[in-house]
């Protein structure tokens, strides 16, 4: 039963995003890190959606954070996420506003 509940929660987060229960906005933070933590993977910037690329670029240009809308907060950015971009690795996280 516990596995079924965990799977249901995972599916809900993946389909609704972490902003599903909020007013539809959140705060994306992007921070360059020296290395990828053991056991973590990073998505290539080229594999992000156009909306995610835009949000990532805005966060970089606005001191490390920007407001994002529901749908942009997919799992590439949360729990935390890691993005490979321009020779570096960036840790990403989304907080509900």
């Amino acid at each position: 039963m516990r596995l079924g509940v965990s799977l249901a929660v995972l599916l809900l987060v993946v389909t609704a995003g972490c902003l599903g229960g909020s007013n539809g906005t959140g705060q994306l933070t992007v921070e360059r890190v020296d290395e990828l933590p053991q056991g973590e993977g990073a998505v290539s910037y080229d594999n992000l959606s156009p909306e995610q690329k835009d949000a990532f670029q805005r966060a970089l240009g606005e001191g490390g954070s920007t407001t994002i809308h529901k749908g942009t907060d997919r799992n590439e950015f949360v729990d935390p996420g890691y993005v490979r971009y321009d020779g570096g690795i960036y840790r990403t996280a989304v907080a509900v506003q």
Side-chain angles (χ1 to χ4, degrees), residues 3-89:
L3 178 60
V5 171
S6 297
L7 182 58
V9 170
L10 175 64
L11 289 174
L12 178 62
V13 169
V14 169
T15 58
C18 71
L19 303 179
S22 74
N23 65 3
T25 63
Q27 196 69 23
L28 170 67
T29 58
V30 175
E31 174 186 21
R32 187 171 179 143
V33 295
D34 293 330
E35 60 186 41
L36 195 58
Q38 180 97 19
E40 294 287 344
V43 65
S44 169
Y45 174 83
D46 293 334
N47 290 334
L48 297 177
S49 72
E51 294 83 12
Q52 288 176 310
K53 288 178 182 178
D54 179 61
F56 186 87
Q57 290 295 328
R58 282 195 329 267
L60 287 179
E62 296 175 10
S65 71
T66 191
T67 299
I68 62 171
H69 299 280
K70 183 177 176 181
T72 309
D73 62 319
R74 295 191 316 249
N75 56 344
E76 291 90 342
F77 284 162
V78 296
D79 202 14
Y82 293 91
V83 175
R84 289 190 186 276
Y85 173 73
D86 198 27
I89 299 170

